[in-house]
Amino acid sequence: MAENTAETVRNTVVEAALGKLGLDAKTRLLAGQDMWSLPALPEIGLKSLVMSDGPIGVRGVRWTADDPSVALPSPTALAATWDPALARRAGRLLAQEARRKGVHVLLAPTVNLHRTPLGGRHFEAYSEDPYLTGAIGTGYVQGVQDGGVGTTVKHFVANDAETDRFTVDNRIAPRPLRELYLAPFEAIVRNAHPWGIMTAYNQVNGVTMTEHHELVNEVLRGEWGFDGYNVSDWMAARSTTADIAGGLDVAMPGPDTVYGPALAAAVRAGEVEESAVDTAVRNVLRLAARVGALEGAPPVVTEHPAAIDGDALAREIAHRGFVLVRNENGALPLKNATVALSGAAARDARVLGGGSAQVFPDHVVSPLDGLTAALPDGALAFTVGADPSEELAPADQGFTLRARCRDASGTVIGEGSLPNGQVQWIGDDLPAGVTHEALASIEVIGTFTPRESGEHAFGTRGLGAFALTVAGETVYEGTQALGPETDPFEAFFGSPVERGKVALTAGETVEVSLLHTLDKEFAAPLPAVMFSFVHLAPRRDPDELIAEAVEAARAADTAVVVVATTERVESEGFDRKDLVLPGRQDDLVRAVAAVNPNTVVVVNAGSPVELPWREDVAAILLSWFPGQEGGAALADVLTGAEEPGGRLPTTWPVTLADAPVTEVTPTDGELRYSEGVFIGYRAWDKAGTVPAYPFGHGLGYTTWSYDTLTATPDTVTVRITNTGDRPGRETVQIYLAPVADRVERPARWLAAFANVEVAPGESVETEIALPRRAFEIWDEEKNDWTLVTGAYEVVAAHSLTDGRLTTTLEV
């Protein structure tokens, strides 16, 4: 069946279904029935539409490891590949995962911009550059929808920081709003036709985004032609009449939202036209038809793409996203030699970010695992060296835990497994047989087999009453009261509290228990159970740990140090205070580098951190949050089996003080984007300051010559040659720089790019389309896009600051 014919049938079925529904059924459909789904309406053959978080994996509707999820590298890593085709393959894999878990719609991708380096959730977004963000997001959306699963591009718009995200009013002039913040959404809507979009918590220019008629109805739907459904961020919808007037179709989570009975009552009171409700319902039914959840309507995809090996793709994306920013004297790839590996993050890698992006893979390959498998026996020595975390974290390594649920009488009403010491049951995500109404207490029970002997610290995170027992000893009984937190993620997953220490012996298993009694005073903003059983292994003297790493490094041919951030540095719900690596990790790197000139540092962070020792080490590899196969991919790259393929999607500053745009904290409720169109490398150029590593930077294991460049207003053609001795992949970046600008614009900007793979000694010519938008600005007086004519330098470059060929173009 031709797609246009199928679309006609879908629309016919949608209209017929809509005509059969009464007002109460229609408004109920828009309210959600629980945390993750919309209600089924059997009278029209509508199945329940199921949504799930999904930037790097599909968690499904339950907080459990019983149904594991493939964990791909972080969105920053995907963007670092500069490869929309690879993003499309990632999307196809996630659609495959979604279908397996019965999910119709992924709550992804996140295409907000890295406006400042302090954004706490930047690991979940792609880049500081709107063009690169739009290109990667387009590939992701196309891939997911290739698999017959919907996407919700988020967070529309300007949710570029976490501080006061529920209430902040971001004041943005029309030109930067159009040229920067709306641009990725526009590119994805026009090029990938997403089936959904998610409106953000924040306000833009005085209007809450779920109520923003101008940006949703006039721009998104009117100008761009978006015909999908618009769902609120969770708990973002605040006004029945303003939300429906502002173009919000679905208010989540349900069932208690500003829609449902409240919306039906508003219609009956004459406050809302029923036609507005019909429009929203039509959008939801169109989504259902597209994903195959509406009887009689042919789904968009009837034959799914070929099955994808999740482990293999996770490994490929990881090494393709690794960015080698420094490689002195050919330190990498490693020669056949001994390696001293150090850093606690080498043993317990952080492979994904916290909050909405979290999933539970069935296995994780750490750097220690990966290198142990790749190197000959006896070639690798590991020492802890330094631990990035000095505070308690959810019980994980060595723990086997379950949650036992009881009612007010103490009767057990259900049990469920836990992936770690964190309990996060929201809505109906409860063990079988358990309801929020009956649930009175949860006991986290299980065993712990410590890796180290000594004083182990145990504690709690969350609000309410706790009783903690370890090895038969009551460590704590008491209540944790509410602090100054304003964001639920910060309140319930903020600072852990140590409750006591217990001396344990390595390898000897003990029983553990944390009883949490629920109290309505500490209820979450929606039906939820959220708390953590936390632990910290014995802390040895930091100087001793560093000394051990130094001795191992002194005896090895190469020293590899893995440094990392923690969930208390980068996560949803709060922004960063600085860019400093936590703990004594900087001291570890300096000490190791002082005794081994062949020191390689792997940076396990989702977004920029300060690297004060960067000139003192031989090589630096940025691994981002590399997903479940990160350690295997790291071994591939360090040994030279694969090339580090990444290029920086965001500028890496020397220090936070150097960054031109850093403000994330509102003043009197407002955050003014006073820098206008100058963020990221645009701002660095304007300020005239030099970062540690520029946008687009990344080294490979071969060399390139750029041979010829020709340009027209529509196309750039570049010929390059692989002048090295091994196959390689180059990302050819095209920048435009106006020669004598008549308007205030950045000095240069990314206009296009392409990936090429070339064998050693061979040449390739690549033709790259130049979008007209690259030559346009948003004219605030005309309220429209305007072509800026004149002369432009067209630069074919290896990175923003490494231009290889230049030609002049008249437009």
Side-chain angles (χ1 to χ4, degrees):
M1 184 183 295
E3 178 50 33
N4 57 351
T5 305
E7 184 71 14
T8 300
V9 174
R10 280 193 290 272
N11 289 335
T12 301
V13 173
V14 165
E15 291 304 320
L18 176 60
K20 296 176 184 176
L21 294 176
L23 177 61
D24 292 315
K26 288 187 286 193
T27 57
R28 186 169 74 251
L29 177 61
L30 305 181
Q33 69 175 350
D34 53 28
M35 187 66 185
W36 302 112
S37 68
L38 304 185
L41 297 178
E43 63 268 33
I44 58 169
L46 177 67
K47 299 175 184 175
S48 175
L49 280 166
V50 179
M51 297 168 258
S52 172
D53 283 320
I56 59 102
V58 184
R59 188 168 63 243
V61 299
R62 297 201 175 277
W63 190 261
T64 175
D66 291 345
D67 183 14
S69 308
V70 173
L72 298 178
S74 63
T76 42
L78 185 60
T81 70
W82 286 58
D83 190 344
L86 186 58
R88 189 166 190 164
R89 290 170 55 206
R92 287 182 170 184
L93 171 67
L94 295 179
Q96 176 179 300
E97 285 278 282
R99 294 193 307 270
R100 181 175 66 81
K101 288 174 175 271
V103 168
H104 300 104
V105 184
L106 286 188
L107 302 172
T110 301
V111 298
N112 301 113
L113 298 184
H114 298 176
R115 175 177 166 263
T116 89
L118 291 178
R121 202 173 178 179
H122 280 352
F123 63 87
E124 196 184 318
Y126 292 131
S127 172
E128 67 189 26
D129 182 78
Y131 181 78
L132 177 59
T133 297
I136 298 297
T138 292
Y140 179 101
V141 168
Q142 287 172 331
V144 174
Q145 295 183 177
D146 284 346
V149 174
T151 55
T152 47
V153 188
K154 63 184 188 181
H155 309 84
F156 189 75
V157 63
N159 182 185
D160 308 302
E162 294 293 280
T163 303
D164 295 345
R165 62 179 175 163
F166 290 94
T167 56
V168 62
D169 181 9
N170 294 324
R171 310 297 294 197
I172 314 171
R175 188 175 163 207
L177 182 60
R178 289 283 189 157
E179 294 184 17
L180 297 178
Y181 303 101
L182 287 171
F185 291 94
E186 181 182 6
I188 294 168
V189 168
R190 292 191 186 279
N191 298 321
H193 309 291
W195 301 342
I197 202 147
M198 181 189 290
T199 37
Y201 294 119
N202 54 278
Q203 301 175 56
V204 171
N205 298 330
V207 182
T208 299
M209 277 310 306
T210 56
E211 304 169 13
H212 216 302
H213 176 88
E214 177 191 356
L215 292 180
V216 172
N217 287 336
E218 295 178 19
V219 176
L220 173 65
R221 293 197 185 278
E223 288 183 31
W224 303 347
F226 173 70
D227 68 352
Y229 92 123
N230 169 16
V231 62
S232 72
D233 204 341
W234 267 225
M235 300 182 294
R238 300 172 176 88
S239 166
T240 300
T241 55
D243 281 329
I244 198 73
L248 182 71
D249 298 326
V250 174
M252 288 296 287
D256 298 321
T257 77
V258 296
Y259 284 174
L263 181 55
V267 172
R268 292 186 173 110
E271 298 168 356
V272 172
E273 294 289 336
E274 188 166 356
S275 60
V277 175
D278 288 347
T279 297
V281 172
R282 185 178 289 112
N283 291 332
V284 174
L285 294 178
R286 187 182 298 117
L287 169 69
R290 285 170 168 167
V291 300
L294 181 60
E295 190 175 300
V300 172
V301 177
T302 54
E303 291 188 23
H304 297 127
I308 296 173
D309 183 329
D311 293 353
L313 185 58
R315 187 168 180 167
E316 180 183 352
I317 294 171
H319 73 70
R320 287 281 307 282
F322 288 167
V323 183
L324 184 62
V325 294
R326 179 177 174 86
N327 193 21
E328 297 298 292
N329 303 317
L332 291 179
L334 298 172
K335 315 304 182 278
N336 291 328
T338 55
V339 174
L341 178 66
S342 61
R347 181 181 63 186
D348 301 319
R350 188 171 183 210
V351 300
L352 47 82
S356 300
Q358 188 164 12
V359 296
F360 304 107
D362 66 2
H363 67 275
V364 169
V365 183
S366 69
L368 178 57
D369 295 334
L371 283 170
T372 298
L375 297 176
D377 289 346
L380 182 69
F382 171 72
T383 55
V384 172
D387 196 321
S389 179
E390 293 298 323
E391 66 178 15
L392 291 82
D396 192 1
Q397 297 291 338
F399 288 87
T400 301
L401 301 172
R402 295 183 61 77
R404 180 169 292 163
C405 302
R406 294 183 173 88
D407 62 16
S409 70
T411 301
V412 174
I413 55 177
E415 284 196 12
S417 65
L418 292 174
N420 52 38
Q422 184 166 300
V423 176
Q424 184 172 315
W425 298 332
I426 305 176
D428 291 340
D429 182 8
L430 293 167
V434 179
T435 65
H436 286 285
E437 293 72 23
L439 184 60
S441 69
I442 306 95
E443 186 179 12
V444 176
I445 56 172
T447 61
F448 174 48
T449 306
R451 293 188 296 198
E452 300 97 354
S453 297
E455 295 277 309
H456 286 253
F458 295 88
T460 63
R461 185 168 65 176
L463 306 174
F466 295 98
L468 174 63
T469 304
V470 178
E473 174 186 343
T474 299
V475 176
Y476 171 77
E477 280 189 275
T479 301
Q480 178 65 41
L482 182 66
E485 301 90 349
T486 58
D487 188 305
F489 268 99
E490 189 171 8
F492 287 92
F493 300 118
S495 298
V497 181
E498 181 180 316
R499 301 303 188 182
K501 288 188 169 72
V502 179
L504 300 175
T505 303
E508 293 188 5
T509 300
V510 296
E511 293 187 352
V512 295
S513 164
L514 176 64
L515 176 64
H516 176 48
T517 305
L518 299 181
D519 187 329
K520 294 291 188 284
E521 179 185 348
F522 300 112
L526 69 167
V529 179
M530 303 162 75
F531 69 97
S532 296
F533 172 34
V534 295
H535 164 260
L536 184 66
R539 299 289 92 178
R540 290 181 52 205
D541 183 294
D543 291 328
E544 286 184 14
L545 292 176
I546 291 174
E548 287 180 2
V550 165
E551 287 311 303
R554 196 192 309 271
D557 296 304
T558 301
V560 176
V561 184
V562 181
V563 297
T565 58
T566 69
E567 64 169 8
R568 297 292 292 135
V569 175
E570 294 182 87
S571 186
E572 180 176 347
F574 54 88
D575 289 312
R576 299 161 75 184
K577 302 293 187 288
D578 56 47
L579 304 181
V580 178
L581 284 168
R584 295 282 302 279
Q585 296 181 101
D586 287 334
D587 292 340
L588 171 64
V589 174
R590 289 190 185 98
V592 168
V595 301
N596 192 321
N598 209 29
T599 293
V600 176
V601 183
V602 178
V603 183
N604 181 193
S607 46
V609 292
E610 294 176 9
L611 310 175
W613 31 258
R614 69 189 184 287
E615 301 293 339
D616 303 326
V617 299
I620 301 172
L621 185 69
L622 310 181
S623 69
W624 312 105
F625 296 149
Q628 66 181 47
E629 303 295 325
L634 178 65
D636 290 341
V637 167
L638 293 184
T639 60
E642 299 287 354
E643 185 179 38
R647 304 291 182 263
L648 282 179
T650 202
T651 306
W652 209 275
V654 177
T655 68
L656 177 61
D658 299 325
V661 182
T662 58
E663 189 58 64
V664 294
T665 303
T667 301
D668 298 326
E670 293 184 354
L671 183 61
R672 294 192 171 272
Y673 285 37
S674 55
E675 68 281 350
V677 297
F678 297 95
I679 67 167
Y681 63 84
R682 296 162 168 83
W684 286 88
D685 276 349
K686 184 179 182 183
T689 49
V690 178
Y693 305 107
F695 178 80
H697 175 62
L699 307 172
Y701 288 160
T702 189
T703 54
W704 301 92
S705 71
Y706 279 56
D707 307 324
T708 62
L709 165 66
T710 58
T712 72
D714 303 312
T715 307
V716 173
T717 303
V718 184
R719 183 179 180 81
I720 67 172
T721 301
N722 181 348
T723 55
D725 58 4
R726 60 176 287 159
R729 176 186 293 268
E730 174 70 331
T731 299
V732 179
Q733 302 167 34
I734 305 299
Y735 295 92
L736 292 182
V739 174
D741 216 350
R742 297 182 286 108
V743 296
E744 184 184 30
R745 280 189 291 182
R748 52 193 165 173
W749 56 89
L750 179 70
F753 62 89
N755 287 282
V756 294
E757 285 188 82
V758 189
E762 293 192 0
S763 302
V764 67
E765 190 170 87
T766 181
E767 189 175 282
I768 310 170
L770 269 184
R772 176 185 168 91
R773 183 61 58 80
F775 301 97
E776 294 179 328
I777 66 164
W778 182 260
D779 189 319
E780 294 183 351
E781 291 185 7
K782 295 180 180 178
N783 198 36
D784 201 357
W785 292 101
T786 297
L787 182 71
V788 182
T789 58
Y792 290 83
E793 278 193 346
V794 181
V795 183
H798 177 75
S799 76
L800 179 77
T801 59
D802 187 5
R804 300 294 179 88
L805 293 173
T806 302
T807 188
T808 302
L809 176 66
E810 195 74 29
V811 175

